[in-house]
Amino acid sequence: MNKNINEDFLMIDKRIKYKLSDFDYPLAKKYIAQYPAQRRDRAKLLVVHKDTGKMEHRFFYNITDYMHKNDLILLNNTRVFPARLFAIKDKTDARVEVFLLRELENNLWEAMVRPARKVRIGNKLMFTSKIYCDVIDNTISGGRVIRFEHGNSSIYDVIEKIGNSPLPPYIKRPADSKDKMRYQTVFAQERGAVAAPTAGLHFTKSLLGKLERRGIKHDFVTLHIGLGTFRSIQVEDLNRHQMDSEYFEVPPKTAMSINETKKKRRKVFAVGTSCVRALETVAVSGFQVTPKRGWTDKFIYPPYKFRMIDGIITNLHLPKSTLIMMVSAFADVDLIKKAYREAKKKDYRFLSYGDAMLVL
């Protein structure tokens, strides 16, 4: 048996070792941030050195201390749209929540509705007296296909007007007007996400400027985060879990920046697990990436050999989530659990509006 085949068998043996329960940990409600920090870059930052296990407690604006000239930071420039809408069902006047997932074609959308059992094909859902949608089909995942009727306005202009910020289900409060700004990165550009790339929420324009003045480059990928990021895994055997597909793009300029950085033997830092998914999807032989766009359902969990990144900037994630699995694959399952225990001791705030972690 040659060396490569032997290594493959070892990887399979290790992969079987990890189960869903290996990524569980206790998370009390008091740790789950319900509001963002007053200033984006004043969130706490837990720095984890994966080779030594050393941990440091800093603030996010200290991130510049861990990067050097000609290093590259990669950011997800997806833009969240206000995907949560509320309607009245015709004839019964029942209130219905419509969560838009993606546009299928002009005015035709895939959506989740709640309560689903009361929304059937043929129903009309009224958002205003002039804006409504017809339910025209069911989806395999339990959602609905709806067709909007909204006059001459752009559908996205309509959604911006009547929609609410799609805050995660663990934020137990209604979205307010401030969330439209705070649940959005300062570099958001490409509309299409229903959840924010939350590690990117900590960056300010002034911090990006400071990085640039120090010769630390930044560039962008796009990955439109879907509702699947909050979907719980239903199987103990991780090999059987299927990720939801999400649209991504790694443009030629970004691919060139990554390849040049690697050629110079400088470091590449990915901001957020969504950014990592896009990069690892396009990784080819050696330390090269190629420009690409399309859909990815890549599931990264231990053990996994990362080909593109030298550091991850991320938030503190839910137990048993695909996000904590990816971070654990980059570092070590036990080390990440230890880091999370340390974060709780120091009163870090967890999840989307919470504090940050740098693993390098």
Side-chain angles (χ1 to χ4, degrees):
M1 185 178 292
N2 66 43
K3 182 180 177 182
N4 290 337
I5 295 175
N6 196 31
E7 286 179 353
D8 288 342
F9 275 111
L10 287 174
M11 290 287 282
I12 292 170
D13 287 342
K14 288 182 180 179
R15 191 175 294 278
I16 293 171
K17 173 184 174 183
Y18 290 105
K19 307 183 296 295
L20 179 62
S21 54
D22 292 321
F23 301 91
D24 196 10
Y25 72 93
L27 182 63
K29 291 181 181 179
K30 67 178 182 178
Y31 295 113
I32 301 175
Q34 297 297 307
Y35 292 89
Q38 287 190 346
R39 287 186 55 177
R40 292 177 185 265
D41 60 0
R42 293 300 175 102
K44 293 178 182 179
L45 177 69
L46 177 59
V47 182
V48 180
H49 300 263
K50 64 177 183 173
D51 291 337
T52 64
K54 178 184 175 183
M55 299 184 195
E56 301 176 71
H57 298 286
R58 308 295 301 276
F59 289 99
F60 195 80
Y61 57 79
N62 297 130
I63 204 108
T64 56
D65 296 343
Y66 301 91
M67 298 167 187
H68 301 90
K69 185 177 180 179
N70 290 323
D71 284 348
L72 175 65
I73 296 177
L74 293 169
L75 304 149
N76 183 1
N77 67 355
T78 187
R79 185 173 187 83
V80 181
F81 66 95
R84 179 172 276 117
L85 284 61
F86 294 94
I88 300 297
K89 193 172 74 166
D90 64 331
K91 298 180 182 178
T92 66
D93 289 338
R95 192 169 188 259
V96 176
E97 178 183 330
V98 179
F99 196 108
L100 302 176
L101 298 178
R102 61 191 177 104
E103 188 175 19
L104 302 174
E105 55 184 73
N106 190 31
N107 294 331
L108 200 66
W109 286 73
E110 180 184 352
M112 298 298 293
V113 295
R114 192 167 58 177
R117 58 186 174 79
K118 293 186 177 181
V119 180
R120 300 175 180 175
I121 296 172
N123 285 152
K124 190 181 298 292
L125 306 177
M126 306 295 299
F127 301 104
T128 71
S129 59
K130 296 182 179 179
I131 302 170
Y132 63 91
C133 70
D134 293 309
V135 180
I136 64 171
D137 205 353
N138 299 320
T139 67
I140 297 173
S141 60
R144 302 290 184 271
V145 177
I146 61 174
R147 178 184 290 115
F148 274 95
E149 296 291 342
H150 54 87
N152 296 324
S153 301
S154 159
I155 182 59
Y156 282 102
D157 289 342
V158 169
I159 293 170
E160 288 289 340
K161 181 178 179 180
I162 66 175
N164 297 271
S165 295
L167 295 182
Y170 43 72
I171 293 182
K172 303 298 185 182
R173 63 173 177 83
D176 59 34
S177 58
K178 293 181 180 179
D179 289 309
K180 281 197 174 183
M181 181 271 292
R182 285 298 273 112
Y183 196 60
Q184 195 83 267
T185 64
V186 298
F187 44 81
Q189 184 174 352
E190 302 296 331
R191 180 173 52 203
V194 300
T198 54
L201 296 178
H202 303 294
F203 283 88
T204 63
K205 289 183 179 179
S206 62
L207 181 56
L208 289 171
K210 182 180 179 181
L211 289 164
E212 190 172 341
R213 289 191 297 274
R214 292 193 175 191
I216 302 162
K217 301 176 292 182
H218 68 268
D219 226 316
F220 301 99
V221 302
T222 303
L223 187 138
H224 293 321
I225 303 168
L227 202 58
T229 192
F230 305 117
R231 203 184 309 280
S232 59
I233 297 178
Q234 301 296 324
V235 290
E236 186 70 10
D237 179 2
L238 300 180
N239 290 298
R240 296 175 58 198
H241 177 66
Q242 178 65 45
M243 294 283 286
D244 288 13
S245 291
E246 295 170 322
Y247 179 82
F248 78 94
E249 181 174 356
V250 178
K253 179 177 179 295
T254 299
M256 185 180 298
S257 294
I258 296 168
N259 294 334
E260 287 178 353
T261 301
K262 287 294 184 181
K263 187 176 181 179
K264 293 177 181 177
R265 299 184 182 276
R266 302 310 309 161
K267 292 183 177 180
V268 174
F269 293 86
V271 179
T273 55
S274 61
C275 188
V276 176
R277 283 188 75 200
L279 293 173
E280 290 297 313
T281 297
V282 300
V284 292
S285 60
F287 296 105
Q288 294 286 309
V289 297
T290 182
K292 192 174 181 180
R293 66 177 68 181
W295 294 82
T296 180
D297 60 357
K298 193 171 188 66
F299 181 23
I300 299 175
Y301 60 101
Y304 182 85
K305 186 176 181 180
F306 289 83
R307 290 173 284 181
M308 285 299 109
I309 60 173
D310 302 289
I312 297 177
I313 300 167
T314 185
N315 279 24
L316 298 155
H317 302 297
L318 276 171
K320 298 183 179 180
S321 65
T322 61
L323 310 181
I324 193 174
M325 291 174 189
M326 179 188 292
V327 179
S328 298
F330 183 69
D332 174 81
V333 176
D334 291 334
L335 178 60
I336 294 303
K337 284 186 174 182
K338 182 180 178 181
Y340 277 37
R341 290 194 297 270
E342 178 69 11
K344 288 194 286 185
K345 287 179 184 177
K346 299 294 184 180
D347 292 322
Y348 277 62
R349 291 148 39 90
F350 280 58
L351 309 185
S352 293
Y353 269 156
D355 295 311
M357 183 166 68
L358 167 64
V359 185
L360 73 170

